[in-house]
Amino acid sequence: MIKFLDLEKINNRFRDEIDLRIKTILDKGWYLQGEENEIFCKNFAQYCGTKHCIGVANGLDALNLIIKAMGFGIGDEIIVPANTYIASILAISQNGCTPILIEPHINTYNINPDLIEEKITPKTKAIMVVHLYGQAVQMDKIWDLAKKYNLKVIEDSAQAHGAYYKDKRTGNLSDASAFSFYPGKNLGCMGDGGAVTTNDDELAQKIKAIANYGSDRKYHHIYKGVNSRLDEIQAAVLDVKLKYIDKDNQRRREISKYYRENIKNEKIILPTAYNEDSHVWHIFAVRTKERDKFQKYLVENEIQTIIHYPTPPHKQNAYKEWANLSYPITEEIHRTIISLPMSPVITDVEVQKVVEVVNNYE
């Protein structure tokens, strides 16, 4: 079976380095808010091109903390793509804000900036963009709208570690960006982990305090905070893997290019890229009207796939109040999307087999 994602194989490449860093942590006996966290956050901020990085417990917390620190709450609206993982929308709801859903481009799956302005009201406080599947959103119109209406811009960069828009990386395209380091991400740890990046000094300090029980120093609490911290072991793992992410992302580009140049099946709709050098291909998602049949066929031919995502957020029971809403482009994507194997450790032979099997699908 060609695995969709072989995490054991991915992480075994760094086993010796990770073992050494974990041994150092065990020898020190310091597991939270220590040197490893400081090192990784400094290095990741530098990688993204931002002044600050705050390590937190996971990607959802990162989004939650940004919205909370910006002071948004009940009655405030935040624009967000309808086509996204539910975490983007949960963070808005969990802060008491109202998510305003915007349809995506059918070919890139990212939010369509041309549809945003008509949804802006006096209650709108921010635009949240999601760099879905590893492709950065086209940000020019987003920035123009934010400036025109005095809105904050928030990035959900959970799937786009290392992606570029023009001369800037994701994480440095907004007022603040949330990252997830879930194990399957392009930069993944060995558990849960997340981070916020920003160039705003005041916002960074506020997020850091809120994430630590609202404390700016021990036993001194200035906010009604939460407990959301990146532990030392996960920080060390991430710092090891950060050194290799550009190489891994380049391998993903090579695989994507091969898929897109060699899959020739009229039943399969291939993804598109704005720029070959900026997309990091966290997911290689194709579309087909016969998804269930196609997925069964691939399994029979020893190829594992995953559906990202089978049900859009506005059709989930968690948002049953939206049950009657219609977002036809989003719904079309969620009915037809299926992700082929994509990781830096897939071999050329495996990639060729995927292409051959897909091309033989009838």
Side-chain angles (χ1 to χ4, degrees), residues 52 54 62 64-72 152-154 174-177 196-211 223:
H52 303 283
I54 304 98
N64 257 317
L65 287 161
I66 291 169
I67 295 169
K68 187 177 182 69
M70 286 179 172
F72 303 145
K152 294 292 187 182
V153 178
I154 301 167
S174 61
D175 293 286
S177 176
V196 175
T197 56
T198 183
N199 290 306
D200 186 323
D201 297 342
E202 183 179 349
L203 186 67
Q205 291 306 312
K206 191 172 183 181
I207 289 171
K208 188 174 182 179
I210 293 172
Y223 306 108

Side-chain angles (χ1 to χ4, degrees), residues 77-84 89 92 98-106 109-121 124 126-130 132 137 142 145 151 312-314 322 325-331 333-334:
E77 296 176 349
I78 297 178
I79 286 170
V80 64
N83 180 48
T84 184
I89 296 169
I92 298 171
T98 302
I100 304 298
L101 306 184
I102 304 294
E103 287 270 57
H105 284 295
I106 188 65
Y109 312 130
N110 278 337
I111 193 169
N112 185 344
D114 294 333
L115 303 179
I116 292 175
E117 189 165 19
E118 65 188 50
K119 297 293 185 179
I120 295 174
T121 75
T124 307
I127 301 171
M128 181 188 292
V129 297
V130 181
L132 200 66
V137 172
I142 305 293
L145 290 170
L151 305 176
H314 69 280
W322 291 344
L325 296 181
S326 175
Y327 295 93
I329 298 174
T330 294
E331 290 160 21
I333 291 169
H334 286 252

Side-chain angles (χ1 to χ4, degrees), residues 158-169:
Q159 299 186 8
H161 311 75
Y164 276 95
Y165 180 65
K166 295 187 174 178
D167 61 343
K168 290 185 176 181
R169 291 192 196 270

